[in-house]
Amino acid sequence: MSEQGSWQELRDRRMSEPGATEAYEATRLAYELGRTVRAMREGRGWSQNDLAREAAMTQSAVARFEAGGTIPTLPVLERLARALDAHVDVRLTPRTPAA
């Protein structure tokens, strides 16, 4: 079996474990939020230290957040949003239109 085949097999096995899909989705969302915050920070010309100071966080916490390494709480999202002069918009949207 090729290295790619064994990697795919491992991934498939892991994704079939209970809770794996939910964990993957949470990680994906954390990564997307981190990318958005980084883009907003860079758009202001701020360093991670600048954002950390404005959001009352540490630089390492900002770095972990931007890398998608943490699943943020709503209070952390609010602090980052305030620091970036932005709003947090949390919505639930149906996956399929109602009949």
Side-chain angles (χ1 to χ4, degrees):
M1 181 179 298
S2 71
E3 187 174 319
Q4 171 132 11
S6 63
W7 174 253
Q8 184 67 36
E9 185 179 301
L10 175 62
R11 181 190 178 282
D12 292 346
R13 205 172 32 219
R14 289 272 168 89
M15 289 303 289
S16 69
E17 293 174 1
T21 301
E22 293 83 0
Y24 176 83
E25 184 63 13
T27 300
R28 186 191 67 76
L29 289 171
Y31 175 76
E32 291 296 325
L33 284 167
R35 282 183 40 193
T36 300
V37 166
R38 180 179 178 178
M40 292 179 78
R41 173 182 63 76
E42 289 176 343
R44 289 175 166 264
W46 285 1
S47 68
Q48 288 180 342
N49 280 322
D50 295 329
L51 178 55
R53 184 175 45 257
E54 291 296 319
M57 298 171 69
T58 64
Q59 178 275 328
S60 61
V62 170
R64 280 191 308 276
F65 181 88
E66 288 185 355
T70 60
I71 299 191
T73 63
L74 289 174
V76 166
L77 288 175
E78 284 290 338
R79 286 192 350 228
L80 288 166
R82 271 195 304 277
L84 293 165
D85 195 28
H87 296 280
V88 174
D89 182 20
V90 178
R91 292 179 284 149
L92 296 176
T93 307
R95 291 184 184 176
T96 58

XYZ file of all heavy atoms in Angstrom:
769
model
N 0.851 -1.176 0.000
C 0.000 0.000 0.000
C 0.895 1.237 0.000
O 1.893 1.299 0.690
C -0.900 -0.022 1.239
C -1.827 1.170 1.298
S -2.933 1.196 2.732
C -3.868 -0.266 2.488
N 0.506 2.256 -0.758
C 1.299 3.482 -0.831
C 1.134 4.286 0.457
O 0.217 4.061 1.246
C 0.833 4.331 -2.016
O -0.443 4.882 -1.753
N 2.062 5.246 0.634
C 1.986 6.105 1.815
C 0.679 6.891 1.812
O 0.038 7.046 2.845
C 3.181 7.054 1.841
C 3.259 7.861 3.116
C 4.525 8.692 3.186
O 5.586 8.199 2.806
O 4.415 9.835 3.638
N 0.273 7.367 0.632
C -0.985 8.117 0.524
C -2.167 7.226 0.887
O -3.071 7.652 1.592
C -1.167 8.660 -0.890
C -2.559 9.241 -1.084
C -2.540 10.595 -1.711
O -1.507 11.043 -2.185
N -3.668 11.248 -1.722
N -2.160 5.981 0.439
C -3.249 5.061 0.758
C -3.362 4.815 2.249
O -4.465 4.781 2.793
N -2.235 4.632 2.922
C -2.283 4.399 4.365
C -2.726 5.661 5.103
O -3.427 5.572 6.116
C -0.935 3.906 4.885
O 0.059 4.877 4.693
N -2.351 6.829 4.601
C -2.790 8.086 5.201
C -4.302 8.234 5.067
O -4.996 8.578 6.015
C -2.067 9.252 4.536
C -2.553 10.589 4.991
C -3.312 11.473 4.283
C -2.358 11.189 6.267
N -3.586 12.578 5.030
C -3.010 12.435 6.262
C -1.691 10.800 7.415
C -3.016 13.285 7.351
C -1.701 11.656 8.506
C -2.353 12.877 8.465
N -4.831 7.946 3.883
C -6.267 8.045 3.642
C -7.026 7.042 4.515
O -8.060 7.376 5.079
C -6.580 7.789 2.157
C -8.046 7.962 1.811
C -8.512 9.396 1.946
O -7.782 10.334 1.653
N -9.729 9.574 2.399
N -6.481 5.855 4.657
C -7.115 4.831 5.494
C -7.167 5.294 6.949
O -8.188 5.153 7.624
C -6.332 3.524 5.372
C -6.959 2.354 6.087
C -6.139 1.099 5.888
O -5.945 0.700 4.724
O -5.684 0.541 6.905
N -6.079 5.857 7.426
C -6.035 6.366 8.797
C -7.048 7.493 8.978
O -7.791 7.519 9.955
C -4.626 6.852 9.145
C -4.470 7.518 10.512
C -4.807 6.541 11.633
C -3.064 8.056 10.669
N -7.099 8.404 8.024
C -8.048 9.517 8.095
C -9.479 8.986 8.126
O -10.286 9.420 8.947
C -7.867 10.451 6.904
C -8.817 11.627 6.941
C -8.780 12.409 5.625
N -9.710 13.496 5.653
C -11.024 13.377 5.472
N -11.564 12.209 5.267
N -11.814 14.434 5.506
N -9.792 8.061 7.253
C -11.144 7.493 7.208
C -11.502 6.817 8.523
O -12.616 6.968 9.024
C -11.281 6.496 6.054
C -11.219 7.160 4.693
O -11.336 8.401 4.616
O -11.045 6.424 3.704
N -10.564 6.093 9.088
C -10.806 5.411 10.355
C -11.051 6.430 11.476
O -11.970 6.287 12.270
C -9.609 4.513 10.686
C -9.950 3.352 11.577
C -8.810 2.376 11.748
N -7.506 3.017 11.686
C -6.434 2.506 11.089
N -6.483 1.331 10.520
N -5.295 3.149 11.061
N -10.230 7.475 11.511
C -10.386 8.507 12.542
C -11.713 9.251 12.390
O -12.377 9.555 13.374
C -9.230 9.512 12.471
C -7.916 8.960 12.928
C -7.777 9.165 14.432
N -6.690 8.430 14.993
C -5.453 8.865 15.106
N -5.124 10.044 14.668
N -4.536 8.107 15.663
N -12.081 9.562 11.157
C -13.314 10.314 10.934
C -14.558 9.488 11.261
O -15.627 10.047 11.489
C -13.380 10.837 9.498
C -12.397 11.961 9.219
S -12.574 13.391 10.318
C -14.119 14.065 9.731
N -14.430 8.164 11.305
C -15.581 7.325 11.636
C -15.757 7.170 13.148
O -16.766 6.631 13.603
C -15.442 5.947 10.980
O -14.394 5.211 11.570
N -14.801 7.659 13.934
C -14.898 7.571 15.394
C -15.974 8.539 15.893
O -16.206 9.590 15.297
C -13.557 7.911 16.042
C -12.480 6.889 15.744
C -11.110 7.293 16.267
O -10.993 8.372 16.896
O -10.159 6.541 16.022
N -16.642 8.181 16.996
C -17.684 9.066 17.546
C -17.123 10.455 17.860
O -16.057 10.591 18.449
C -18.113 8.357 18.839
C -17.695 6.930 18.663
C -16.472 6.960 17.777
N -17.834 11.478 17.422
C -17.445 12.861 17.698
C -16.417 13.442 16.755
O -16.128 14.631 16.819
N -15.873 12.640 15.863
C -14.809 13.126 14.983
C -15.307 14.203 14.028
O -14.620 15.209 13.812
C -14.191 11.971 14.202
N -16.473 14.025 13.481
C -17.000 15.009 12.534
C -17.212 16.346 13.219
O -16.860 17.396 12.678
C -18.320 14.503 11.917
O -18.065 13.258 11.264
C -18.887 15.483 10.920
N -17.769 16.313 14.433
C -17.996 17.545 15.176
C -16.671 18.228 15.525
O -16.544 19.446 15.436
C -18.791 17.273 16.459
C -20.214 16.825 16.209
C -20.344 15.330 15.920
O -19.317 14.602 15.918
O -21.472 14.886 15.677
N -15.686 17.457 15.936
C -14.371 18.019 16.273
C -13.714 18.630 15.040
O -13.116 19.710 15.116
C -13.472 16.944 16.878
N -13.833 17.950 13.903
C -13.269 18.472 12.660
C -13.931 19.799 12.300
O -13.255 20.764 11.942
C -13.460 17.464 11.527
C -12.985 17.964 10.197
C -11.641 17.872 9.848
C -13.864 18.548 9.296
C -11.196 18.351 8.623
C -13.427 19.022 8.081
C -12.092 18.926 7.746
O -11.652 19.411 6.546
N -15.248 19.865 12.411
C -15.973 21.088 12.067
C -15.601 22.226 13.014
O -15.405 23.361 12.582
C -17.485 20.840 12.102
C -18.310 22.018 11.662
C -18.106 22.453 10.219
O -17.498 21.712 9.418
O -18.531 23.575 9.890
N -15.469 21.953 14.307
C -15.065 22.980 15.267
C -13.671 23.502 14.934
O -13.414 24.712 14.998
C -15.114 22.424 16.685
N -12.787 22.615 14.567
C -11.421 23.009 14.214
C -11.426 23.844 12.938
O -10.718 24.852 12.838
C -10.532 21.766 14.051
O -10.529 21.051 15.286
C -9.117 22.131 13.677
N -12.239 23.458 11.972
C -12.341 24.218 10.723
C -12.847 25.630 11.000
O -12.305 26.615 10.489
C -13.270 23.509 9.731
C -13.306 24.190 8.356
C -14.412 23.636 7.483
N -15.738 23.952 7.990
C -16.323 25.155 7.890
N -15.688 26.166 7.330
N -17.529 25.353 8.371
N -13.876 25.751 11.838
C -14.410 27.067 12.177
C -13.374 27.917 12.915
O -13.238 29.113 12.644
C -15.678 26.924 13.018
C -16.905 26.413 12.274
C -18.024 26.102 13.253
C -17.360 27.406 11.218
N -12.642 27.309 13.847
C -11.599 28.035 14.576
C -10.538 28.554 13.614
O -10.072 29.694 13.733
C -10.971 27.140 15.648
N -10.170 27.727 12.644
C -9.173 28.130 11.649
C -9.694 29.310 10.819
O -8.969 30.288 10.586
C -8.823 26.941 10.756
C -7.889 27.286 9.634
C -6.527 27.483 9.869
C -8.364 27.425 8.335
C -5.667 27.816 8.840
C -7.503 27.750 7.294
C -6.164 27.952 7.553
O -5.320 28.292 6.533
N -10.950 29.237 10.381
C -11.526 30.311 9.577
C -11.612 31.617 10.379
O -11.322 32.691 9.850
C -12.919 29.913 9.068
C -12.899 28.810 8.034
C -12.187 29.197 6.746
O -12.275 30.375 6.330
O -11.539 28.313 6.155
N -12.023 31.518 11.639
C -12.058 32.716 12.490
C -10.662 33.308 12.651
O -10.481 34.532 12.582
C -12.637 32.370 13.855
C -14.145 32.187 13.924
C -14.536 31.549 15.249
C -14.844 33.521 13.739
N -9.689 32.455 12.859
C -8.311 32.916 13.003
C -7.816 33.635 11.764
O -7.167 34.689 11.857
N -8.131 33.086 10.599
C -7.731 33.728 9.335
C -8.378 35.102 9.196
O -7.748 36.054 8.746
C -8.123 32.856 8.139
C -7.194 31.698 7.921
C -7.530 30.891 6.701
N -7.929 31.727 5.576
C -8.496 31.270 4.474
N -8.742 29.994 4.339
N -8.824 32.073 3.484
N -9.647 35.189 9.580
C -10.360 36.456 9.484
C -9.748 37.498 10.409
O -9.512 38.648 10.001
C -11.854 36.251 9.807
O -12.397 35.323 8.873
C -12.624 37.565 9.749
N -9.472 37.112 11.650
C -8.880 38.055 12.606
C -7.500 38.488 12.117
O -7.152 39.678 12.179
C -8.823 37.442 14.024
C -7.915 38.241 14.942
C -10.228 37.360 14.602
N -6.724 37.552 11.616
C -5.393 37.921 11.120
C -5.493 38.921 9.969
O -4.760 39.918 9.941
C -4.642 36.671 10.657
C -3.266 37.009 10.132
C -2.519 35.783 9.687
N -1.239 36.185 9.146
C -0.326 35.369 8.710
N -0.531 34.064 8.772
N 0.804 35.827 8.231
N -6.405 38.673 9.039
C -6.568 39.591 7.907
C -6.986 40.981 8.386
O -6.477 41.997 7.892
C -7.594 39.029 6.920
N -7.896 41.029 9.364
C -8.328 42.328 9.894
C -7.178 43.030 10.610
O -6.990 44.242 10.464
C -9.524 42.138 10.824
C -10.784 41.688 10.101
S -12.173 41.428 11.224
C -12.659 43.143 11.480
N -6.418 42.263 11.388
C -5.272 42.838 12.106
C -4.256 43.396 11.115
O -3.792 44.537 11.245
C -4.617 41.771 12.992
C -3.319 42.224 13.634
C -2.681 41.145 14.455
N -2.277 39.960 13.735
C -1.202 39.857 12.945
N -0.420 40.897 12.730
N -0.911 38.711 12.356
N -3.913 42.589 10.116
C -2.925 43.037 9.125
C -3.448 44.219 8.324
O -2.671 45.099 7.942
C -2.552 41.873 8.206
C -1.711 40.822 8.913
C -1.406 39.608 8.051
O -2.093 39.393 7.020
O -0.487 38.859 8.412
N -4.762 44.246 8.076
C -5.358 45.376 7.371
C -5.191 46.691 8.120
O -5.141 47.764 7.517
N -5.086 46.614 9.426
C -4.849 47.806 10.245
C -3.358 48.108 10.386
O -2.991 49.107 10.998
C -5.435 47.612 11.643
C -6.938 47.616 11.666
C -7.442 47.297 13.068
N -8.840 47.629 13.155
C -9.320 48.769 13.629
N -8.499 49.686 14.073
N -10.615 48.993 13.657
N -2.533 47.204 9.900
C -1.095 47.392 10.049
C -0.606 47.075 11.449
O 0.456 47.539 11.855
N -1.372 46.283 12.187
C -1.029 45.933 13.566
C -0.218 44.659 13.630
O -0.423 43.736 12.847
C -2.286 45.704 14.383
C -3.040 46.935 14.774
C -2.741 48.234 14.461
C -4.247 46.969 15.537
N -3.684 49.069 14.998
C -4.616 48.321 15.659
C -5.036 46.000 16.115
C -5.756 48.721 16.343
C -6.168 46.390 16.804
C -6.521 47.739 16.914
N 0.643 44.603 14.627
C 1.336 43.363 14.958
C 0.424 42.559 15.889
O -0.596 43.067 16.382
C 2.650 43.676 15.686
O 2.373 44.230 16.966
N 0.804 41.324 16.139
C 0.055 40.539 17.125
C 0.118 41.198 18.495
O -0.851 41.165 19.251
C 0.589 39.110 17.192
C 0.231 38.279 15.980
C 0.768 36.872 16.065
O 1.672 36.568 16.836
N 0.208 35.983 15.244
N 1.243 41.803 18.818
C 1.367 42.524 20.099
C 0.386 43.684 20.184
O -0.207 43.926 21.239
C 2.793 43.039 20.303
C 3.725 41.962 20.800
O 3.343 41.136 21.615
N 4.945 41.976 20.298
N 0.206 44.402 19.065
C -0.740 45.517 19.054
C -2.157 45.023 19.340
O -2.873 45.594 20.163
C -0.714 46.243 17.701
C 0.599 46.918 17.402
O 1.290 47.357 18.344
O 0.945 47.011 16.201
N -2.560 43.962 18.647
C -3.899 43.415 18.858
C -4.050 42.879 20.276
O -5.066 43.109 20.932
C -4.212 42.312 17.839
C -5.576 41.628 18.008
C -6.729 42.632 18.006
C -5.765 40.579 16.922
N -3.036 42.206 20.761
C -3.080 41.661 22.122
C -3.294 42.776 23.142
O -4.121 42.643 24.047
C -1.792 40.898 22.423
N -2.585 43.860 22.968
C -2.717 44.989 23.900
C -4.134 45.565 23.842
O -4.769 45.786 24.876
C -1.689 46.072 23.558
C -1.667 47.238 24.500
C -0.555 48.239 24.218
N -0.414 48.574 22.799
C 0.547 48.087 21.981
N 1.459 47.258 22.445
N 0.604 48.451 20.722
N -4.661 45.755 22.643
C -6.003 46.339 22.492
C -7.097 45.405 22.999
O -8.142 45.863 23.456
C -6.266 46.674 21.017
C -5.428 47.805 20.486
C -5.726 49.128 21.167
O -6.905 49.429 21.425
O -4.762 49.867 21.448
N -6.871 44.089 22.926
C -7.880 43.105 23.332
C -7.637 42.575 24.744
O -8.344 41.663 25.175
C -7.896 41.946 22.333
N -6.654 43.115 25.430
C -6.306 42.656 26.784
C -6.016 41.156 26.798
O -6.550 40.408 27.613
C -7.404 43.022 27.793
N -5.181 40.747 25.858
C -4.755 39.351 25.737
C -3.237 39.325 25.664
O -2.601 40.366 25.557
C -5.333 38.730 24.451
C -6.841 38.686 24.390
S -7.467 38.181 22.751
C -6.975 36.474 22.711
N -2.674 38.131 25.658
C -1.240 38.004 25.430
C -0.989 37.802 23.936
O -1.882 37.346 23.199
C -0.649 36.813 26.207
O -1.232 35.607 25.704
C -0.900 36.941 27.703
N 0.230 38.114 23.520
C 0.588 37.904 22.114
C 0.485 36.433 21.756
O 0.029 36.084 20.675
C 2.002 38.440 21.851
C 2.491 38.236 20.434
C 3.118 36.869 20.193
O 3.724 36.296 21.100
N 2.956 36.337 19.002
N 0.882 35.556 22.664
C 0.823 34.122 22.363
C -0.622 33.652 22.211
O -0.910 32.785 21.384
C 1.565 33.300 23.421
O 0.987 33.474 24.685
N -1.552 34.232 22.969
C -2.968 33.877 22.816
C -3.476 34.322 21.454
O -4.234 33.591 20.791
C -3.799 34.495 23.931
N -3.071 35.502 21.007
C -3.459 35.981 19.675
C -2.878 35.058 18.607
O -3.568 34.668 17.668
C -3.018 37.442 19.451
C -3.192 37.859 17.990
C -3.788 38.384 20.373
N -1.616 34.674 18.758
C -0.967 33.792 17.777
C -1.693 32.447 17.694
O -1.946 31.938 16.595
C 0.501 33.583 18.135
N -2.021 31.862 18.844
C -2.743 30.585 18.847
C -4.108 30.735 18.189
O -4.533 29.888 17.417
C -2.906 30.056 20.272
C -1.684 29.362 20.823
C -1.974 28.619 22.122
N -2.624 29.435 23.135
C -1.995 30.238 23.979
N -0.679 30.353 23.944
N -2.675 30.938 24.871
N -4.795 31.831 18.509
C -6.109 32.078 17.922
C -6.003 32.185 16.404
O -6.759 31.550 15.672
C -6.722 33.358 18.506
C -8.083 33.647 17.953
C -9.211 33.112 18.538
C -8.230 34.437 16.828
C -10.464 33.357 18.013
C -9.474 34.680 16.291
C -10.599 34.143 16.888
N -5.061 32.994 15.921
C -4.918 33.198 14.478
C -4.539 31.921 13.748
O -4.907 31.733 12.590
C -3.879 34.287 14.197
C -4.380 35.667 14.539
C -3.408 36.756 14.155
O -2.270 36.462 13.701
O -3.785 37.925 14.309
N -3.832 31.029 14.411
C -3.431 29.765 13.794
C -4.543 28.725 13.860
O -4.407 27.633 13.305
C -2.182 29.224 14.484
N -5.649 29.058 14.521
C -6.742 28.101 14.657
C -6.463 27.060 15.717
O -7.093 26.014 15.748
N -5.515 27.367 16.597
C -5.097 26.396 17.606
C -5.979 26.330 18.831
O -5.792 25.470 19.677
N -6.941 27.240 18.926
C -7.865 27.212 20.055
C -9.281 27.420 19.537
O -9.492 28.117 18.539
C -7.571 28.324 21.088
O -7.686 29.585 20.448
C -6.203 28.174 21.699
N -10.226 26.824 20.214
C -11.630 27.060 19.893
C -12.080 28.178 20.825
O -12.119 28.000 22.045
C -12.459 25.777 20.063
C -11.895 24.745 19.106
C -13.941 26.069 19.867
C -12.651 23.511 18.882
N -12.359 29.346 20.263
C -12.582 30.521 21.094
C -13.928 30.506 21.811
O -14.902 29.938 21.338
C -12.534 31.670 20.090
C -12.999 31.051 18.821
C -12.466 29.643 18.848
N -13.948 31.168 22.945
C -15.200 31.401 23.654
C -15.832 32.679 23.099
O -15.149 33.502 22.465
C -14.947 31.571 25.161
O -14.131 32.734 25.351
C -14.275 30.327 25.756
N -17.105 32.864 23.368
C -17.769 34.090 22.921
C -17.148 35.341 23.553
O -16.958 36.339 22.840
C -19.271 34.017 23.184
C -20.017 33.034 22.280
C -21.479 32.920 22.706
C -19.918 33.433 20.827
N -16.789 35.337 24.842
C -16.136 36.535 25.392
C -14.816 36.879 24.693
O -14.509 38.058 24.480
C -15.910 36.177 26.865
C -16.990 35.183 27.175
C -17.137 34.378 25.905
N -14.040 35.888 24.313
C -12.785 36.163 23.587
C -13.102 36.759 22.225
O -12.469 37.736 21.792
C -11.920 34.886 23.465
C -10.807 35.071 22.453
C -11.352 34.512 24.823
N -14.085 36.204 21.534
C -14.481 36.766 20.232
C -14.940 38.212 20.382
O -14.604 39.067 19.556
C -15.586 35.931 19.600
C -15.184 34.571 19.078
C -16.412 33.806 18.599
C -14.163 34.696 17.957
N -15.689 38.494 21.442
C -16.157 39.865 21.681
C -14.988 40.811 21.930
O -14.964 41.930 21.416
C -17.123 39.906 22.869
C -18.506 39.395 22.545
C -19.291 40.317 21.624
O -18.987 41.525 21.532
O -20.217 39.814 20.970
N -13.994 40.388 22.712
C -12.825 41.243 22.982
C -12.060 41.529 21.702
O -11.629 42.668 21.456
C -11.903 40.590 24.019
C -12.510 40.670 25.396
C -11.615 40.328 26.562
N -10.340 39.740 26.331
C -9.879 38.661 26.972
N -10.631 38.051 27.862
N -8.683 38.205 26.745
N -11.865 40.498 20.885
C -11.161 40.701 19.616
C -11.964 41.616 18.697
O -11.405 42.508 18.050
C -10.893 39.350 18.940
C -9.823 38.502 19.614
C -9.880 37.066 19.098
C -8.436 39.101 19.382
N -13.268 41.399 18.640
C -14.117 42.237 17.785
C -14.051 43.699 18.224
O -13.903 44.596 17.383
C -15.560 41.726 17.809
N -14.171 43.946 19.527
C -14.092 45.325 20.017
C -12.752 45.947 19.653
O -12.689 47.097 19.203
C -14.303 45.374 21.528
C -15.754 45.508 21.931
C -15.921 45.921 23.394
N -15.249 45.033 24.335
C -15.759 43.893 24.787
N -16.939 43.492 24.397
N -15.089 43.152 25.633
N -11.682 45.201 19.838
C -10.343 45.721 19.536
C -10.207 46.063 18.049
O -9.519 47.015 17.694
C -9.278 44.703 19.940
N -10.874 45.292 17.203
C -10.791 45.492 15.754
C -11.937 46.353 15.212
O -12.091 46.497 14.001
C -10.776 44.130 15.045
C -9.527 43.293 15.294
C -9.763 41.851 14.875
C -8.327 43.896 14.560
N -12.739 46.927 16.120
C -13.896 47.738 15.747
C -14.809 46.958 14.798
O -15.163 47.417 13.714
C -13.457 49.067 15.115
C -14.600 50.068 15.045
O -15.517 49.985 15.898
O -14.596 50.908 14.124
N -15.154 45.756 15.241
C -15.996 44.867 14.441
C -17.115 44.312 15.315
O -17.140 44.546 16.530
C -15.151 43.721 13.882
N -18.035 43.597 14.698
C -19.141 42.953 15.408
C -18.997 41.449 15.280
O -18.556 40.949 14.244
C -20.491 43.347 14.802
C -20.803 44.790 14.925
N -21.289 45.354 16.076
C -20.689 45.796 14.027
C -21.463 46.647 15.880
N -21.097 46.939 14.656
N -19.410 40.733 16.308
C -19.511 39.274 16.234
C -20.931 38.981 15.781
O -21.894 39.472 16.371
C -19.232 38.613 17.603
C -19.489 37.122 17.535
C -17.808 38.895 18.038
N -21.051 38.188 14.744
C -22.362 37.835 14.196
C -22.475 36.318 14.211
O -21.848 35.642 13.386
C -22.479 38.380 12.773
C -23.834 38.103 12.148
O -24.798 37.840 12.892
O -23.908 38.158 10.914
N -23.236 35.779 15.152
C -23.420 34.333 15.255
C -24.812 34.014 14.749
O -25.799 34.578 15.242
C -23.256 33.845 16.718
C -23.494 32.353 16.823
C -21.878 34.215 17.241
N -24.894 33.128 13.761
C -26.187 32.779 13.187
C -26.290 31.278 13.016
O -25.297 30.596 12.819
C -26.337 33.413 11.798
C -26.439 34.892 11.821
C -26.559 35.452 10.430
N -25.222 35.392 9.806
C -25.015 35.225 8.518
N -26.004 35.080 7.698
N -23.809 35.202 8.044
N -27.494 30.794 13.063
C -27.792 29.426 12.675
C -28.569 29.512 11.379
O -29.581 30.215 11.304
C -28.632 28.712 13.740
C -27.950 28.524 15.092
C -28.940 27.896 16.075
C -26.736 27.648 14.955
N -28.087 28.828 10.370
C -28.711 28.873 9.060
C -29.078 27.461 8.649
O -28.234 26.571 8.704
C -27.721 29.479 8.030
O -27.253 30.729 8.532
C -28.372 29.679 6.692
N -30.324 27.249 8.228
C -30.701 25.906 7.783
C -29.811 25.439 6.639
O -29.439 26.228 5.765
C -32.150 26.069 7.311
C -32.624 27.335 7.929
C -31.408 28.205 8.108
N -29.465 24.160 6.652
C -28.624 23.604 5.580
C -29.414 23.424 4.300
O -28.877 23.515 3.214
C -28.036 22.276 6.016
C -27.026 22.460 7.115
C -26.379 21.184 7.480
N -25.480 21.454 8.624
C -24.819 20.548 9.235
N -24.918 19.290 8.888
N -24.039 20.880 10.234
N -30.692 23.113 4.446
C -31.552 22.970 3.274
C -32.783 23.841 3.461
O -33.252 24.029 4.581
C -31.996 21.504 3.072
O -32.668 21.079 4.252
C -30.812 20.600 2.795
N -33.286 24.397 2.383
C -34.480 25.245 2.512
C -35.665 24.420 3.042
O -35.793 23.240 2.738
C -34.762 25.716 1.087
C -33.536 25.379 0.295
C -32.800 24.305 1.036
N -36.480 25.078 3.844
C -37.686 24.417 4.366
C -38.646 24.175 3.208
O -38.740 24.971 2.275
C -38.340 25.287 5.432
N -39.361 23.066 3.283
C -40.301 22.728 2.194
C -41.573 23.523 2.295
O -42.004 23.980 3.264
C -40.612 21.238 2.253
